[in-house]
Amino acid sequence: MKKAGILNRHLAGALAGLGHGDGVLVCDAGMPVPAGPLLVDLAFRAGVPSFAEVLEGLLDELVIEGATAAREVREVNPAATRLLTRHFPALELVPHEELKALSAGAKLIVRTGEARPYANVLLHCGVFF
């Protein structure tokens, strides 16, 4: 058994299979999950695990070259806005409906227990070299 890093076997395996250009949607418990992408549902109860905890754990494991979030996050969820802009200064903002459409093209969806709206981000994987 791993003693560090991501211990969830489904998530660890999915991350190992990602390549350059693959999308990973990290979403709150209320985001509609499209059919198609692999779903790793980490939600345990409202707020557990939080969007911030999951995002920061994934950023420890992945090389990310860009990120896209819903424009509405700026007005509705200031905490998520601060978190996202701190990690992604060039964060692309699109209408929420467009983010939902883009999520269908993700290779992986990681659902958190976050219970605040618009705590969602589509990560664009990069390469480590």
Side-chain angles (χ1 to χ4, degrees), residues 4-52:
I6 292 177
L7 299 178
N8 180 290
R9 68 183 176 98
H10 301 290
L11 185 54
L15 295 178
L18 293 172
H20 186 215
D22 286 340
V24 178
L25 178 70
V26 183
C27 64
D28 61 36
M31 179 76 163
V33 176
L38 175 64
L39 170 65
V40 176
D41 191 342
L42 301 177
F44 176 68
R45 62 179 169 190
V48 179
S50 73
F51 177 70

Side-chain angles (χ1 to χ4, degrees), residues 43-59:
F44 176 68
R45 62 179 169 190
V48 179
S50 73
F51 177 70
E53 290 169 323
V54 173
L55 178 62
E56 290 174 358
L58 290 173
L59 293 177

